[in-house]
Amino acid sequence: TPAPRPEAHAPSSTRLDPDAFPLLDVARAKERMGNEHALYVRMLERFAEELPQRLHELQEVLQGQDLQTATRLLHAVKGEAGTLGAVQLAAHATEAENQCQATDTQLDAQVLVTRLQTVWACTLDAIVAGGLLPALPKPQEPAASDASEHLPAADHEKLHTLLALLAASDLKALELMDAWRIAGASGQRW
């Protein structure tokens, strides 16, 4: 059964859960490319090399509240991820694109980008485990920023735990991020 396709601009009442999608649908992606395995691998390699820089650029434009550029970047990530069978990443990019286009949505750039990075890390692990690409070096843990130095000790410890989980491509990182986001939305401290 083919994986459902994330649709851009889905009304909020019919919002799909991006985590409900499979990480990869290689068969469907290869089918789109005429079952040319070498072509698929070349495109996957290029995407794997370029995506970290795109996500970094996305974070910068979101921090600058340039939602038009963010929407364009997310649309490109969504399209390429979908073409390559990175279904869950495409679904998360679709949701993020929709958030950027909604005028009534408050965006947390760090949460949005971290979620995409985490889903990409899990997808990349599946790609490597499936023998499609050799293991790529894991991104370096970011150095503490000035903002994190001013966090209370308990929050700093939680942030450090989150970074370690993200570096390990751990699903618990998503759960911690969701708890953090929910607590932040209600005005609570984690």
Side-chain angles (χ1 to χ4, degrees), residues 51-124:
L51 187 61
Q53 177 57 36
R54 285 188 187 179
L55 293 178
H56 177 74
E57 183 180 351
L58 176 64
Q59 185 169 8
E60 288 180 349
V61 299
L62 282 171
Q63 287 172 342
Q65 295 298 310
D66 182 355
L67 298 181
Q68 185 175 13
T69 301
T71 299
R72 182 184 51 77
L73 287 168
L74 287 162
H75 187 79
V77 168
K78 173 187 72 176
E80 287 186 52
T83 298
L84 294 169
V87 183
Q88 196 173 107
L89 180 62
H92 278 278
T94 298
E95 181 174 321
E97 180 184 17
N98 290 340
Q99 287 177 12
C100 286
Q101 292 173 339
T103 56
D104 62 344
T105 303
Q106 187 73 11
L107 290 177
D108 184 334
Q110 186 62 46
V111 169
L112 192 147
V113 173
T114 301
R115 179 168 301 241
L116 290 171
Q117 290 170 329
T118 301
V119 173
W120 170 241
C122 293
T123 303
L124 187 56

Side-chain angles (χ1 to χ4, degrees), residues 101-166:
Q101 292 173 339
T103 56
D104 62 344
T105 303
Q106 187 73 11
L107 290 177
D108 184 334
Q110 186 62 46
V111 169
L112 192 147
V113 173
T114 301
R115 179 168 301 241
L116 290 171
Q117 290 170 329
T118 301
V119 173
W120 170 241
C122 293
T123 303
L124 187 56
D125 286 347
I127 290 167
V128 170
L132 295 167
L133 290 180
L136 299 175
K138 293 282 185 184
Q140 295 279 17
E141 182 174 312
S145 69
D146 293 339
S148 70
E149 292 172 5
H150 300 291
L151 289 173
D155 289 352
H156 187 73
E157 182 180 321
K158 288 177 184 174
L159 182 59
H160 182 70
T161 300
L162 177 61
L163 289 173
L165 291 169
L166 290 171

